[in-house]
Amino acid sequence: MTTQESDSKGLRLYPPPPKDFDPFAATEEDLKRHGLPLRPDAHQQPGMAALWERQARRYSRFEHLEVKPETAATAPRASRATAAIGPDPIESCGYSFFSTSGPFTALFVTWTVPDLQFNPSPTGLNHFHTFVGLGFLDVHVEMTVDSAHHVTAQVLAVDVATINLPVGPGDVISGSLCLDTKPPGRANYVLANETRSQTANFAVDTGFPPAVTIDAGVGRGQLNEPFNPLARFGVVYFDEISAYPSGGPVSLTAGDAITMVDQHGAVRARPVRLNDYAFKTVFVAP
């Protein structure tokens, strides 16, 4: 099996590595063949190299899925305003960081998927998502809950495709996003369901400019409907957060905290900093 181009703009799919694949013994060509991140130089990028080793050890025993993107599907979502401005408090809760020390090249985050409880809505459905963003790159776990408290969930690389990585309430998800600062803005995604020991990766020639922001958190509503009632989500944890601009690693929680408010200014969800590498978002009952 060889690298394949999807119908989606610049989307590149790779054959999953075999069960006995050893990333530490693999050559650069082996890693490229499966679309895996190359090992950073330990002297020039010690932090990135250590993180690569940690991720390689963690995922070496996972089931590597063959990515089958659903490019035709466009899940209802509330999108971030722009990568330069960051998430909008009327629909989002979390943290956002703007870099003044050069563009970001990589972001690594682990987060939990909540079990939603329905909040009365005229449509009979609440839309909710968790998000992780590197510039214009966006990964969501898109969720819905209906009046019978039935929850659906799917992984979405926003403006790219819905990804066939199984996900559900209670799962722990991790995402590694990398973006080349040179045209055509090559982006590498490595996504994993830590609970189910499954991972998937792909690359996209995005055409995006270098990333100057990172963010993570939760959001509500459908596109153009930000006042959709917020599902009762309890607490969502974001941890193991590592971000790398060209000037050296930074802490996302040193950035701007975003508290979600409704149209009347009442708080609906609050971010709580835990340390330099972790935070949680907490539902606030009306």
Side-chain angles (χ1 to χ4, degrees):
M1 186 175 176
T2 58
T3 304
Q4 296 182 11
E5 288 254 3
S6 165
D7 289 339
S8 182
K9 179 184 68 176
L11 177 60
R12 298 175 184 273
L13 308 180
Y14 300 89
K19 291 184 178 180
D20 59 351
F21 184 79
D22 181 357
F24 294 95
T27 65
E28 281 198 8
E29 287 303 314
D30 293 331
L31 295 172
K32 289 178 180 179
R33 183 179 306 116
H34 299 292
L36 299 173
L38 301 183
R39 191 172 189 171
D41 186 285
H43 296 290
Q44 297 182 2
Q45 297 177 294
M48 287 281 285
L51 188 58
W52 186 95
E53 291 184 9
R54 187 181 74 186
Q55 301 286 73
R57 292 187 191 282
R58 173 184 291 180
Y59 298 147
S60 61
R61 298 182 181 274
F62 278 29
E63 176 189 4
H64 295 269
L65 302 179
E66 179 183 348
V67 175
K68 297 177 180 178
E70 167 113 23
T71 56
T74 54
R77 59 181 174 87
S79 62
R80 297 178 300 142
T82 72
I85 297 174
D88 188 338
I90 201 68
E91 61 189 28
S92 304
C93 173
Y95 277 86
S96 182
F97 189 101
F98 178 83
S99 174
T100 58
S101 61
F104 288 98
T105 56
L107 174 65
F108 305 85
V109 187
T110 298
W111 69 97
T112 55
V113 178
D115 188 11
L116 304 178
Q117 296 295 310
F118 180 73
N119 228 343
S121 166
T123 66
L125 203 65
N126 297 154
H127 291 273
F128 179 90
H129 61 270
T130 59
F131 64 84
V132 173
L134 172 69
F136 287 102
L137 302 185
D138 241 338
V139 170
H140 288 191
V141 175
E142 291 284 345
M143 306 182 70
T144 65
V145 57
D146 61 20
S147 57
H149 303 296
H150 175 256
V151 178
T152 69
Q154 61 182 356
V155 178
L156 179 71
V158 176
D159 297 326
V160 177
T162 301
I163 306 301
N164 60 307
L165 181 69
V167 62
D171 288 350
V172 176
I173 304 298
S174 62
S176 303
L177 307 180
C178 301
L179 182 64
D180 195 336
T181 58
K182 300 177 181 178
R186 181 72 173 273
N188 285 89
Y189 297 75
V190 180
L191 307 174
N193 187 318
E194 306 278 344
T195 304
R196 307 187 192 201
S197 297
Q198 295 175 313
T199 186
N201 64 282
F202 54 95
V204 185
D205 292 334
T206 65
F208 290 160
V212 295
T213 60
I214 53 171
D215 48 52
V218 303
R220 61 168 171 163
Q222 292 178 275
L223 193 62
N224 299 323
E225 291 185 23
F227 301 129
N228 190 57
L230 176 63
R232 297 174 180 270
F233 65 86
V235 179
V236 176
Y237 288 89
F238 295 81
D239 55 23
E240 295 185 325
I241 305 171
S242 299
Y244 293 87
S246 52
V250 300
S251 168
L252 173 58
T253 57
D256 295 325
I258 304 159
T259 298
M260 185 190 295
V261 296
D262 64 17
Q263 62 268 43
H264 305 295
V267 173
R268 289 294 172 255
R270 194 183 307 276
V272 179
R273 182 183 184 277
L274 301 177
N275 53 49
D276 286 348
Y277 312 103
F279 70 93
K280 63 182 178 180
T281 58
V282 182
F283 176 82
V284 177

